[in-house]
Amino acid sequence: MPTLSILALDVETTGLDPATDTVVELAAVGARMDLATGRYDALETLFTTLVDPQRTIPATASAVHHLTARDLQGQPDLAQAVTGLRAAVRDFRPQLLVAHNAPFEAAFLPGLAAELTPEDPRWACTCRLAQHLWPDAPGHQLQVLRYWRRLQDRVPGCDAHRAGFDAACCAVLLAEQCRAWTPAGQTVTPALLRDRSAAAPLLLRVPFGRHRGACWRDVPRDYLEWILRTHASDTDNPFDPAIVTTAEAALQGTYAATPAPDVDAPGHDGR
């Protein structure tokens, strides 16, 4: 398969709600990647900028990315930053946008995918892909996966929750995910990555209630049926789609795969 132009994006923000919060840092990292092997020549930081949010930054947000109003004063506003991003990636011609927890980035950068990848504006999400691939991971946060998959040498440093570093980690994680799918007989394509990113994963363990921590295959049938009844009747507080999907699958005798990755081995060099 020819290489694909992958653009990994990350934003740091004043908070979690795109309706009331805004971006304080934006970065894009490019990689020409062979999806069949996960190999890429190099990561290229195509764009990175601080962004003046023109509002107060809550201490809780600064505690995550360590950016304050003093750091951001005089920086471009979000509209200027996005204009700069578009110009910086124009010659790269991205064919797939990816982020870790992509719905978050997409919500803070509305319309960007429709402009950069108009043939299919859906993002790929390395968090959701990891949930499909590795339901037994100790967590699906970006940095948990970076260490669990022994990828830390490929993006050295520890600037977690800074946009450029997290975007690079996301690109490297996508390459690892492509390599994980290929031996399982999957032909990795942009459509596969987008489709799996949009689909709810099967969970390995129950995340709530009296069966919390139990494998879904060990959950009694009447409890699975209760989950589906409750979800259907309580429209104000529905269960997460992954819980519903997993309960439905368990009733049919289908469960999350439990691969046993060789996490003790050094990470494969995918460059």
Side-chain angles (χ1 to χ4, degrees), residues 228-270:
L228 299 183
R229 287 198 308 272
T230 303
H231 177 74
S233 62
D234 190 353
T235 56
D236 291 332
N237 297 286
F239 283 113
D240 182 274
I243 292 173
V244 176
T245 297
T246 305
E248 290 173 337
L251 283 170
Q252 301 300 317
T254 301
Y255 306 97
T258 55
D262 185 8
V263 296
D264 292 327
H268 171 71
D269 186 354

Side-chain angles (χ1 to χ4, degrees), residues 66-81:
H66 304 292
L67 296 170
T68 66
R70 183 173 59 186
D71 300 316
L72 304 173
Q73 187 175 6
Q75 299 294 330
D77 63 22
L78 181 57
Q80 293 169 327

Side-chain angles (χ1 to χ4, degrees), residues 33 35-38 173-183 188 193:
M33 189 179 297
L35 299 186
T37 63
L173 181 58
L174 180 69
E176 179 76 356
Q177 291 170 336
C178 291
R179 282 191 292 274
W181 252 312
T182 299
V188 185
L193 297 174

